[in-house]
Amino acid sequence: MHEPFRLSADISRFRGADDSTLLVEVHYSVSQAGLTYRPDSAGWAGAADLTLFVRTQDSLVYGDRWLVPHVIPDTAQLGKGMNLVGVYPVQLKRGNYFLSLIGRDRHGAGRVDSVVLRVPISPAVTDRLALSDIEFAATIRQGGVQGPFVKNTLEVIPNVGGLYGEDQTGFYYLEAYNLLLGDDRSDYKVKTSICDAVGKELLSRIRPRKRSGESAVLVDQFAVANLKSGTYALIVSLLDTSGNSLAQSGRKFFVYNPTLGVDSSLVSGNVAMPLAVYASMGEEELDQDFRWSRFEGTDAEKAQFEQLKGADAKRKFLSDFWRRRPPGARDEYMARVTYVNSAFSSMRREGYRTDRGRVYIVYGAPDDYDRHPNEPDTRPYEIWSYNSIQGGVIFVFVQRNQGGDFELVHSTHRNELHDEDWQRYAVQR
């Protein structure tokens, strides 16, 4: 059976072409097994069709579209968890941006996924030592060949999302700037620390460095095999000879390690009481609650929940999950779930698993319904209008199979499936 079409993305920011810009690297991955493949002269060919938009609150500042092809000799070679990974650089000036990456399965109609990231850009730091963002990597190799992953003579293959399995080694890349600022030419130290979900330092390493240039590339690796499943933070600090911190950069990463189980800090490290709504829920109810929350959760959060055992751990996780969202978010979200499970459920699936259910949960009730349940030579279809989203958007759903669910076939929302020729699905042949 086809795996879902899954797109993941994150960013790392580095010093740009001048002090007014930063270089934003967009790292993305697409699951190989989530693509639809067709016979090709070289075997079987699939491709992800990617569209990138960068916007401010008011306007579009950048856009591009490209294909990520993948050819294999035999579809039996597709392995679960194998991804196509890429990097897309873009220079941005000071401002607050929203980056939208939309992916479509080129040969699979209606198979689409998207990611929206907030990208704040501040002026480059010029008056003191500074560090770039940390980029997590699957591998880092020395090599002078040109290519999308090569920078400063290193080939850096991103680990998009920073999720590591027990059999992987963690790598990171970042850059230090302004090392020759002023008269201080003394050696400095690089401290690498790993902290658990509640900030407890689990291990650290300090290595001396010389100020041999105005900037420096910092790369290293860290062991994952001894870490339990959970959320961790990697913190890289520049220290002077007395151990004082001069600059610091940190980033979360995630470990999936079924052999060692779940990190106890995820279960009992936070003294906050579980939300009252979860106090009387059993484990099956907690599992269902998180299934309903699927559109709100990140890939990393979903992987973490899968590793939890027992109601207490799941109560704490779900409580923390919703505490990280705005106040009242859970009540609003679950009210929408309740409605769609009542309005759109069928013998085959619950309402939240349908296209109409997903759109209602994610975007709320539409401002207008245009329903066409019974017209000559036309399959039933509905057009939902949202007037306050992106200046006004629509979603078109067609009941393509008699008695089946209404499927999303077109939307003008920039992060959703777009097909101007959607009427062909509504024609009754």
Side-chain angles (χ1 to χ4, degrees), residues 348-349 379-380 398-407 425-426 428:
R348 293 186 295 179
R349 67 181 68 191
R379 295 185 176 95
V398 176
Q399 190 181 49
R400 297 172 63 178
N401 299 308
Q402 186 174 5
D405 295 327
F406 281 73
E407 301 175 40
Y425 297 118
Q428 183 76 53

Side-chain angles (χ1 to χ4, degrees), residues 373-391:
N374 188 21
E375 295 182 357
D377 302 321
T378 302
R379 295 185 176 95
Y381 70 95
E382 298 181 357
I383 301 176
W384 293 10
S385 300
Y386 291 82
N387 301 329
S388 60
I389 299 176
Q390 298 175 5

Side-chain angles (χ1 to χ4, degrees), residues 340-354:
V340 302
N341 282 346
S342 173
F344 306 133
S345 290
S346 65
M347 294 293 291
R348 293 186 295 179
R349 67 181 68 191
E350 291 181 270
Y352 82 98
R353 296 177 58 206
T354 65

Side-chain angles (χ1 to χ4, degrees), residues 234-308:
L234 177 72
I235 301 173
V236 178
S237 306
L238 302 186
L239 310 177
D240 63 18
T241 53
S242 300
N244 300 309
S245 179
L246 304 172
Q248 189 176 89
S249 186
R251 191 161 197 164
K252 287 185 178 181
F253 68 98
F254 312 93
V255 173
Y256 172 68
N257 192 337
T259 301
L260 297 182
V262 179
D263 174 34
S264 61
S265 65
L266 278 178
V267 179
S268 58
N270 191 334
V271 297
M273 293 294 290
L275 294 177
V277 68
Y278 296 123
S280 61
M281 285 191 185
E283 190 167 1
E284 289 187 6
E285 293 174 293
L286 295 165
D287 290 341
Q288 179 63 78
D289 192 281
F290 192 69
R291 283 196 294 271
W292 284 337
S293 306
R294 59 189 293 185
F295 306 120
E296 184 72 19
T298 66
D299 288 345
E301 287 171 328
K302 293 171 186 174
Q304 289 174 19
F305 188 84
E306 287 298 317
Q307 291 305 296
L308 297 177

Side-chain angles (χ1 to χ4, degrees), residues 179-180 188 209-216:
L179 294 173
L180 300 183
Y188 64 99
R209 292 283 298 247
K210 294 187 178 297
R211 299 184 191 238
S212 56
E214 189 275 338
S215 62

